[in-house]
Structures are given as structure tokens and as C-alpha cells.
Amino acid sequence: MTARVLIVDDIPTNVKLLEARLLAEYFDVVTASSGAQAIEICRSQDIDIILLDVMMPEMDGFTCCQILKRDVVTAHIPIVMITALDQPSDRVRGLESGADDFLTKPVDDVQLLARVKSLVRLKGLSDELRARTRTSHELALEDTARTEFGIAVDGGRILVIDTERSRAERIEAYLRNSHAVTILTDPSEAVFQMSGGEFELAIVSMALEGFDPLRICSQIRTVDQTRSIPIILVAEDRDRSQVVKALDLGVNDFIMRPIERYELSARVKTQIRRQRYTVELRESLNSTMAMAVIDELTGLYNRRYFERHMAMVLNKAQEQDRDMALMLLDIDYFKPVNDTYGHDVGDMVLKEFATRLQRNIRGVDLACRFGGEEFVVVMPDTDMRAAQGVAERVRSAIADEGFQVGAEKPLKITVSAGLALNDQDNDTPESVIKRADIALYRAKRSGRNRVVHDAA
């Protein structure tokens, strides 16, 4: 994982220490010595996460954070406040300023890196949604720009998962004045409850009796209906190594016992605000998307949208020296399906294919109908190994189960795929597409129902 990290601190020694830790993990590091300089950098460069000191002259970190979170240009950037202050009230003030987390000095290396990686991963999905909204706007659709900080945070629907009811009831007592809280004492029912309960947040105890809390979190992240619901872990000091693993699994945040009421409230508000903002982005994107950019048959984006979005993603990848992969897919022997069963059945196959394709790519990937029986997937921040994993998952999803089309017996459908990276100097969308097309041609010539990349 690579990202551009902005370190903001007026003490050079602190900056050098953090910079060395991050460079060792291959992050791209930018530095600022004041809040004003940090704001200027964030407005002029692509920053993925900010490590922000609180105690600075002229403008403290709280004020800097508030300014960044209220500016539509910078509001999406995650902020981790780093300071020697260790009172609960200081943590709460930082979180209420809009910070995504609050770490005290001296900073533990493992926790710092786990938190940075977790927030960068979440930002990747948010960035992709914002990019798609921007693409829609450039195609003369409604502009839906809004900062996350303007989202209401009361009335959250929260599920507290703990095998000991008394512990769960203490959390419920802290939150019930502002939110609707449901308690679940049987963790095996977590995914079932969350799939149908329209919850906006899960709070999971690390002290589950007879259950592995990380397994519960992993199950929540695996199911489509619950994958995007934020999770806060409630942990003891002895659980720190497990918390780091949990952040790698996709857990959003954690709070340590004994629980401080106002810190819990602030962290809950942060997660509900982010969840509602993401949902709003998705709904806004769907409601403002005109037929000009949607393929009517499959519901995927069409070639016109793909070409605009591909150019934007490639430009960003080149500016930040990041990977980007492209997958071009073609349904094998599709013409005989139309000739034998008719175009109505052919249309049913295309729609089912699009559904399986969408189901088996990642949230940050963009699937489009390229034309006829050809489809294309843009995969930002993706190297060849990851791209091959996605492509093989899609290929298997198509080949392993027949396509049920009406009363006829299921049709055996397969797909061939070609992969290409933006790994050439002065790449253009056309040059990457051409390499993916050549790889697709080789997949067809070598027997179909396979994935070939441009370096194979």
C-alpha cells in the first residue's frame, strides 16, 4: 500500500522521526511546519492522510483541523492528531474538530502504521466515489459536492455485540439519548441481524466469551449487505496486538476500556458521519446519473463514461507514481448464443454477466460495458498480482455456474480476459487499452476461458 502522508509539526525533530518511520514503509512524505502551510499544501496537492500536531504557534491543530474539514476541497482527507496531551477531554476535542483519530506521544510504531493504513484504505473508496461524481458533473450532470462535516450525526442505528449483557448495557446507557441502540448477546447472529436491521454502526467487544471477535468482524466484512457498515472495537490494554490485526481486517476504529463516555460519543459520531456521507455519495451518484452514461441493458456505465473516467484515473496514477490496472473482458462464443436462442436470451446472458462481474470486483473498481459482449474494468492502485486475483475471481464466477435463461437448461458461459498496467512511459488511455486488447486476443487464441496479461 502506498500513500502520500502530510506531517504537520513545528518541531523538526518530531517531523524527522515520523518521516523516517513512514519512509521505511514506502509512504510518500510531505512536511509542513505550521497549520497555515498545511492548509495551503492540502489545497494544492493530492494528500492521502494528515498527521497533525496539536500544540503549534499561531494556529493550533484543532483550528487547522476544523478549517480543513469544513473546506469542500480538503474535507475528505483523513486526519490523525498527534500530541502529548492525554486527557479524555483533549481526545474528545480533537475528534469533535473533525479528526479521524487522536494518538498520544510517544507514538507506538505499530499502532501508527496500522491506523495510517486503515484510514488510507477507507479514503481510497471515498476517493473513487468522489471521482465518479466528478466525472458525472463533467458530463453535464448535477454537481453534488458537499463536505462530510455537514452531515447530521444524531439518531444513529447501532448494534452492540457482547456476550455479557451488563457490559453492553453500559454502552447502551452512554448512547441511548442520541441513538437507537440494539444489544446482541449471541455473536453468531451478527451478520443475520445486521443484514436486515439497517444498522449504521457495529460496536464489538473484544471480550466475547466463546467467540473470536476478529472472526466476527471478518464475517461482517465478507457479506455484501454488511461489508460497508463501520465497526468500532471495545478493547482492553492487553488486546493491542489484536487491535492492530483488526484494523488490517477493515475494522474502522477502537476504544479502550475503561470507556470514557464523551470519547465514545465522539468516535460514534465520527463513524456515523462518515457512513452517512458515503451512503449519500452513492445515492447522489445514482440519482444524478443520466442515461447518457449508463448502459440501459446491463445497468453498468457505458463506454462514454469509461473513457472520461479512465483518463482521470490514469492521470492521477501518473502524477502520484501509482499502479493502475485495466481488465478487458469478452464473453466466449456469444454470437452462437444469439443465433441459437435469440436476442432475448442473449440479453438475459448479458444482464446476468454484468451482475456477476459487479459482484466479484472490489468497491474501488469501475466496471463498464465497452460494447456488444465486451466489458472493461478500471482498477486504481492495483498491481498485476492483485489484478490477476480479481480477474480470476470474475472468470470463475462466470464459468463455475450455468446461466439460467428462462425454461431452458442453464447455459455454459465462459469469459476471456486481458490485463494491462500503466507501466509504460507516457502511457495514454488508448495505449493501455491496446495492450489489454492484445492480451485479450492472446487469451482467445490460446483456448478461451482464461486470463492473460500483457507481459505474458
Side-chain angles (χ1 to χ4, degrees):
M1 177 185 294
T2 182
R4 182 173 294 167
V5 183
L6 172 62
I7 301 172
V8 188
D9 198 316
D10 62 314
I11 300 176
T13 304
N14 293 343
V15 172
K16 291 295 183 185
L17 184 61
L18 285 173
E19 185 176 25
R21 293 172 180 174
L22 294 166
L23 288 174
E25 295 292 325
Y26 304 102
F27 287 100
D28 182 16
V29 178
V30 180
T31 64
S33 58
S34 68
Q37 185 184 7
I39 293 168
E40 182 181 350
I41 289 172
C42 290
R43 287 172 175 169
S44 61
Q45 299 184 34
D46 283 325
I47 300 297
D48 292 304
I49 189 167
I50 303 167
L51 303 181
L52 177 62
D53 187 43
V54 170
M55 305 302 292
M56 295 186 294
E58 298 182 14
M59 180 189 297
D60 66 21
F62 298 127
T63 302
C64 179
C65 183
Q66 288 177 333
I67 293 172
L68 289 168
K69 287 297 184 179
R70 283 172 169 79
D71 187 338
V72 70
V73 175
T74 58
H76 63 287
I77 307 173
I79 297 176
V80 178
M81 303 191 81
I82 300 179
T83 180
L85 301 176
D86 59 0
Q87 294 300 309
S89 59
D90 298 319
R91 292 197 296 272
V92 172
R93 186 181 175 193
L95 293 165
E96 290 185 342
S97 297
D100 296 84
D101 207 344
F102 195 94
L103 301 178
T104 55
K105 299 176 182 176
V107 178
D108 177 80
D109 283 5
V110 175
Q111 284 198 45
L112 170 67
L113 294 172
R115 174 55 71 201
V116 168
K117 291 176 182 179
S118 175
L119 288 171
V120 166
R121 188 164 52 243
L122 288 169
K123 180 177 178 289
L125 179 57
S126 176
D127 280 354
E128 179 61 18
L129 288 169
R130 292 174 63 253
R132 294 182 194 181
T133 303
R134 207 160 50 240
T135 302
S136 302
H137 177 54
E138 289 175 1
L139 292 171
L141 300 179
E142 179 184 356
D143 181 12
T144 57
R146 180 180 179 185
T147 69
E148 182 180 320
F149 214 81
I151 301 292
V153 293
D154 289 335
R157 300 182 297 278
I158 302 169
L159 181 67
V160 178
I161 303 171
D162 198 331
T163 50
E164 185 177 309
R165 177 168 285 275
S166 60
R167 284 195 305 247
E169 286 176 345
R170 282 195 292 274
I171 292 176
E172 190 264 346
Y174 289 161
L175 299 174
R176 64 188 173 203
N177 287 339
S178 301
H179 307 284
V181 181
T182 301
I183 294 173
L184 178 66
T185 57
D186 181 1
S188 66
E189 295 289 314
V191 172
F192 175 76
Q193 286 270 28
M194 293 174 67
S195 295
E198 297 185 349
F199 290 104
E200 297 176 288
L201 174 66
I203 300 177
V204 180
S205 171
M206 288 289 288
L208 299 180
E209 185 176 344
F211 294 88
D212 181 351
L214 299 196
R215 178 70 61 186
I216 300 300
C217 294
S218 176
Q219 290 170 351
I220 292 170
R221 283 287 171 264
T222 302
V223 177
D224 285 345
Q225 297 95 318
T226 61
R227 181 173 291 141
S228 64
I229 298 174
I231 301 171
I232 296 178
L233 278 182
V234 181
E236 306 279 356
D237 191 64
R238 63 176 181 270
D239 299 321
R240 288 188 180 275
S241 63
Q242 290 292 91
V243 167
V244 172
K245 291 182 182 178
L247 292 171
D248 280 339
L249 284 173
V251 167
N252 303 77
D253 201 358
F254 65 92
I255 188 168
M256 308 301 289
R257 287 193 169 96
I259 297 173
E260 203 282 322
R261 174 195 298 261
Y262 297 106
E263 181 180 354
L264 175 65
S265 175
R267 292 187 183 277
V268 165
K269 286 180 179 180
T270 296
Q271 295 305 322
I272 289 177
R273 179 185 293 116
R274 184 180 295 129
Q275 170 70 356
R276 290 180 177 177
Y277 180 62
T278 301
V279 169
E280 184 174 289
L281 273 177
R282 290 186 186 278
E283 291 177 350
S284 177
L285 183 62
N286 291 336
S287 65
T288 60
M289 198 62 64
M291 292 305 295
V293 295
I294 293 292
D295 177 64
E296 185 175 4
L297 176 65
T298 64
L300 299 178
Y301 296 107
N302 63 16
R303 184 165 182 163
R304 181 183 179 217
Y305 185 93
F306 158 74
E307 289 173 348
R308 183 67 63 91
H309 192 73
M310 167 73 175
M312 182 186 300
V313 174
L314 178 60
N315 183 61
K316 181 177 179 180
Q318 291 171 331
E319 285 182 351
Q320 300 186 9
D321 193 25
R322 296 187 179 189
D323 291 320
M324 185 213 77
L326 187 74
M327 173 166 56
L328 197 58
L329 307 105
D330 188 271
I331 300 176
D332 297 326
Y333 301 113
F334 184 71
K335 186 176 185 301
V337 173
N338 274 335
D339 293 344
T340 304
Y341 300 99
H343 288 278
D344 288 347
V345 170
D347 286 350
M348 293 171 67
V349 169
L350 289 172
K351 286 191 280 189
E352 174 63 17
F353 179 91
T355 299
R356 295 190 194 185
L357 174 62
Q358 191 70 44
R359 189 184 299 145
N360 286 280
I361 60 176
R362 305 163 308 175
V364 297
D365 301 331
L366 178 77
C368 306
R369 187 179 181 191
F370 201 58
E373 65 271 25
E374 276 196 322
F375 296 79
V376 64
V377 179
V378 183
M379 295 180 277
D381 286 315
T382 305
D383 60 19
M384 186 56 75
R385 181 179 179 183
Q388 286 179 301
V390 174
E392 281 294 338
R393 186 165 66 244
V394 171
R395 187 201 62 76
S396 296
I398 302 303
D400 290 352
E401 183 180 347
F403 281 50
Q404 187 66 54
V405 283
E408 301 287 342
K409 69 177 183 179
L411 296 180
K412 176 68 173 177
I413 300 294
T414 62
V415 65
S416 299
L419 295 172
L421 291 182
N422 65 317
D423 55 3
Q424 304 292 321
D425 292 338
N426 301 316
D427 253 333
T428 64
E430 293 76 19
S431 65
V432 180
I433 293 168
K434 183 176 181 179
R435 292 201 301 276
D437 194 34
I438 292 171
L440 173 60
Y441 177 75
R442 290 208 303 271
K444 291 285 191 181
R445 289 293 300 270
S446 57
R448 294 180 166 82
N449 188 26
R450 65 196 61 215
V451 176
V452 173
H453 62 85
D454 62 339

